[in-house]
Amino acid sequence: MELSDAVLLVVAGLAAGTVNAAAGGGSLITFPAMIAVGIPPVAANVSNSVSVFPGYAASVAGSRMDLPPRRTLWPLLPTAVLGTGVGCLLLLATPARAFDLVVPFLVLGATAVLAFQGPLRRLVGHPAELGPRRRTLTVQAMVAVGTVYGGYFGAALGVMLVAGLALVLDATLARVSAVKNLLSAVVGLTTLVVFALFGPVNWAAVAVVAPATMLGGYVGARVTRRLPPVVLRTLIVCFGTAIGLYLLWRALG
């Protein structure tokens, strides 16, 4: 790998880690960067998924004070692992074209859910008004859908998770973001294991990008904790809209 390629990947990793911690979608920075340095698309997608895990883990460390009690988190982890595994198998076993056409609408839909969270909650009911069983099943369903998507593609995973969780959790946006960071780390660890065993990983690119995403993820999580909820929501909605439109343009191009 040439020095200029390494510098590009480091810069991309720093930016992606910061963006993932704040809003999600950092993979749209590192994935094109890997393509730009000559890594084939499938290998770039797999290598990118492996590379962003340290950044997700650092985001968890940076937002750990906002995490809810462990007893509410443990039941979500097996669902996240299973959902991610299903997404990874879809990536390795099925053609990507059809899903590429669906992904932009998933991202834009998730962004709209977050933007219109208030009216939607009045329509489907506030989480505090739901019975314990229904609330548990709804949260599990949201985690399952989000992590299947994360195992398959991963870009805008944070937007997807924040939008879904904010609709079904009776919690502040900072706490929802912290849960998003934890679930993203579970997705990242699962994809790392699956793709390390079965995927065409470019380990040289991973060695360059992963430490950079770790630093960016920690810094981004610390900054996010200090943002007012309206600013954080606006940031995620704007970034999610931009990601969705970019993916739509790329899929139709």
Side-chain angles (χ1 to χ4, degrees):
M1 182 180 297
E2 296 184 4
L3 179 60
S4 58
D5 293 341
V7 170
L8 174 62
L9 292 178
V10 167
V11 172
L14 287 170
T18 304
V19 168
N20 278 338
S27 291
L28 291 179
I29 300 172
T30 49
F31 177 70
M34 290 186 180
I35 295 291
V37 301
I39 302 174
V42 173
N45 191 19
V46 169
S47 302
N48 175 70
S49 297
V50 174
S51 298
V52 296
F53 166 66
Y56 287 143
S59 298
V60 175
S63 60
R64 64 188 183 280
M65 299 301 294
D66 292 314
L67 285 171
R70 292 182 181 180
R71 66 179 182 276
T72 64
L73 293 175
W74 290 127
L76 302 179
L77 302 187
T79 303
V81 172
L82 180 61
T84 305
V86 171
C88 291
L89 292 177
L90 287 174
L91 175 63
L92 296 175
T94 62
R97 178 59 182 168
F99 197 82
D100 284 345
L101 292 173
V102 174
V103 165
F105 297 101
L106 292 176
V107 175
L108 291 172
T111 303
V113 167
L114 185 61
F116 299 101
Q117 178 185 329
L120 286 171
R121 274 188 168 178
R122 288 192 292 272
L123 180 65
V124 303
H126 193 280
E129 301 170 354
L130 300 178
R133 178 179 174 80
R134 183 180 174 188
R135 184 165 56 246
T136 298
L137 291 175
T138 304
V139 172
Q140 291 283 3
M142 287 293 185
V143 171
V145 171
T147 53
V148 168
Y149 171 85
Y152 186 93
F153 188 57
L157 171 62
V159 176
M160 301 279 289
L161 289 176
V162 168
L165 293 173
L167 189 63
V168 299
L169 290 179
D170 185 19
T172 65
L173 196 58
R175 174 157 286 188
V176 169
S177 183
V179 175
K180 175 265 296 181
N181 288 339
L182 177 62
L183 292 175
S184 297
V186 173
V187 171
L189 178 59
T190 306
T191 56
L192 187 155
V193 173
V194 173
F195 291 150
L197 293 174
F198 305 109
V201 179
N202 186 310
W203 291 107
V206 171
V208 174
V209 175
T213 65
M214 182 181 295
L215 177 59
Y218 185 81
V219 172
R222 301 297 291 180
V223 171
T224 299
R225 291 191 71 237
R226 291 168 171 77
L227 292 177
V230 65
V231 174
L232 181 57
R233 188 184 307 276
T234 301
L235 174 66
I236 297 174
V237 167
C238 291
F239 201 81
T241 301
I243 292 170
L245 293 176
Y246 167 77
L247 289 172
L248 183 60
W249 171 79
R250 194 182 71 174
L252 298 177

